[in-house]
Amino acid sequence: MRIFSGIQPTGRKHLGNYIGAIRQYVEGQTRGESIYCVVDLHATTVPYEPATLRKLLYDTTAILLAAGVDPDKCILFRQSDVPQHSELCWLLCSVTSHGELTRMHQFKDKSAKQKDALISAGLFLYPVLMAADILLYKTDEVPVGDDQRQHVELTRNIAERFNERFGETLVVPKHRIPEVGARIMDLQSPEQKMSTSSTNENGTVYVLEEPKAILKKVKSAVTDSGTEIKIADDKPGISNLLEIMAAIQGKKPADVEKDFAGQRYGDLKVAVAEAVVQYLAPVRERYNELRPDEKRIEEALATGAAKARAIAQRTLEEVWDKMGVGAPRMTRT
Ligand code: TRP
């Protein structure tokens, strides 16, 4: 079974990213052949600083390594080191409709946020590049957070359309969204997803944050009216804290609800705050050890890229043959 996922080099990963995606990467290493890619090409689709992109790529790679992604157990690489991604993206554009790209939530949200800045064609094509990432590796399973559901669905459509048009070639992948913790909400506005671009910094807990700051943020999470600790639609704040606790403890939210029966909101907040601190502390410590050694990070990425290129090139050549582009296979060296 092959597992593939991509992660944006934004550096500042939060608790939602960690629980929803990153920890699934680690778990995937024991379930199948896993391939993880830091997607620097995707990062160029919104305004960014060239000088900071490389730094953020190291930050993100170091977070993955610190979390337990192990280059000896998986293939970990940087997207731009494998040029086959860009090429397959272009070829897949021919089986992607303009209409479906205009319906992508992430495109609509991100283009709305650009205000006066350029809404790039890259932002529009972003989902096709993501489909190329996944399809190049004949991926069976894509571990992602809930927000990427629609992109994986599009990837499936693209693969099916390709196979219908050009003959059975690409594997139609499935998403793997965790049952607990796929949607961690903002601590200050629990009707919104936890995000790096939230207006209130106190609503987002970062993976690399100091324990003191984490304690403060979780303890000041907004709660709901009433006093009972219960999962309910009209208790988004309490439900979110129970969900976080459940994800950390590997329990069902309903069981955590039982654990806290009869206790007060304040007790829950303190318990969750301490659990989050303990959960993230080892990652932050390992990160601080690993991050300074950029040469070692670069070496790990280079090893991964060599392995990824070999797989990617095979798929790309199959696609050329099916699509009738490039020189005929017999004449290729
Ligand atoms: N779009 C994903 C995100 O924003 C990142 C990504 C790029 C990805 N390529 C991928 C995720 C391939 C899974 C598979 O989180």
Side-chain angles (χ1 to χ4, degrees):
M1 204 213 10
R2 198 169 267 162
I3 298 169
F4 179 95
S5 196
I7 186 166
Q8 287 258 18
T10 49
R12 297 186 84 198
K13 296 298 167 193
H14 57 68
L15 184 64
N17 302 134
Y18 193 83
I19 290 175
I22 297 174
R23 73 169 187 178
Q24 291 198 84
Y25 295 3
V26 179
E27 183 258 351
Q29 297 179 124
T30 53
R31 274 194 313 113
E33 186 190 351
S34 33
I35 307 180
Y36 303 122
C37 174
V38 189
V39 295
D40 57 345
L41 297 176
H42 277 110
T44 66
T45 60
V46 288
Y48 74 100
E49 271 311 315
T52 30
L53 179 56
R54 288 211 176 93
K55 180 189 152 305
L56 291 175
L57 186 124
Y58 290 142
D59 292 351
T60 301
T61 308
I63 289 185
L64 294 181
L65 295 169
V69 170
D70 178 350
D72 291 328
K73 294 190 190 141
C74 70
I75 299 176
L76 174 65
F77 71 103
R78 166 173 48 210
Q79 188 181 35
S80 58
D81 284 341
V82 183
Q84 287 83 352
H85 289 240
S86 318
E87 185 165 352
L88 185 63
C89 172
W90 176 253
L91 296 170
L92 293 178
C93 281
S94 68
V95 285
T96 309
S97 78
H98 179 275
E100 54 195 353
L101 292 179
T102 60
R103 289 191 290 274
M104 293 291 117
H105 306 308
Q106 191 166 306
F107 172 68
K108 288 196 248 177
D109 294 349
K110 284 196 182 174
S111 45
K113 276 188 197 141
Q114 296 312 312
K115 295 196 186 91
D116 299 335
L118 179 89
I119 298 170
S120 70
L123 190 60
F124 187 65
L125 290 175
Y126 178 117
V128 192
L129 180 59
M130 175 162 162
D133 296 342
I134 297 169
L135 298 175
L136 264 182
Y137 300 94
K138 307 252 168 126
T139 302
D140 299 296
E141 221 178 73
V142 189
V144 279
D146 188 61
D147 61 323
Q148 296 300 311
R149 200 182 279 273
Q150 196 190 24
H151 282 161
V152 179
E153 208 44 54
L154 175 72
T155 303
R156 292 168 57 84
N157 292 341
I158 291 175
E160 280 166 3
R161 207 171 293 138
F162 186 97
N163 291 346
E164 267 165 42
R165 167 86 171 82
F166 298 110
E168 214 44 50
T169 314
L170 301 171
V171 171
V172 182
K174 289 193 178 59
H175 61 226
R176 184 179 170 91
I177 294 170
E179 260 164 49
V180 177
R183 279 179 75 77
I184 301 292
M185 310 307 278
D186 187 288
L187 296 173
Q188 291 299 319
S189 327
E191 52 297 318
Q192 255 165 251
K193 249 185 30 171
M194 189 176 280
S195 132
T196 25
S197 51
S198 165
T199 40
N200 187 342
E201 272 283 294
N202 292 327
T204 308
V205 170
Y206 292 98
V207 176
L208 301 176
E209 220 161 352
E210 295 291 331
K212 249 171 60 196
I214 297 180
L215 282 176
K216 194 165 157 241
K217 284 184 179 178
V218 183
K219 284 186 189 167
S220 53
V222 301
T223 45
D224 315 295
S225 54
T227 53
E228 200 189 346
I229 296 180
K230 206 170 115 211
I231 303 161
D233 288 344
D234 63 347
K235 291 192 183 246
I238 293 297
S239 302
N240 188 38
L241 291 171
L242 290 169
E243 180 90 8
I244 293 172
M245 194 65 157
I248 291 177
Q249 296 184 327
K251 289 185 180 170
K252 292 204 180 78
D255 291 329
V256 180
E257 181 190 274
K258 281 185 204 127
D259 295 345
F260 282 92
Q263 298 195 46
R264 284 170 307 201
Y265 283 177
D267 302 324
L268 177 66
K269 288 204 267 187
V270 171
V272 175
E274 282 166 3
V276 173
V277 165
Q278 278 200 18
Y279 185 60
L280 294 179
V283 184
R284 186 170 122 270
E285 282 158 25
R286 276 196 298 272
Y287 176 90
N288 289 336
E289 282 165 36
L290 291 162
R291 177 60 182 86
D293 197 347
E294 294 184 353
K295 194 163 158 277
R296 221 178 104 199
I297 297 175
E298 221 22 273
E299 280 164 9
L301 290 171
T303 309
K307 294 183 197 158
R309 272 194 298 268
I311 305 173
Q313 183 62 19
R314 279 201 298 277
T315 309
L316 185 61
E317 292 192 16
E318 274 180 65
V319 167
W320 289 344
D321 289 340
K322 293 283 174 57
M323 292 184 75
V325 302
R329 182 167 287 253
M330 270 101 72
T331 66
R332 287 206 295 268
T333 45

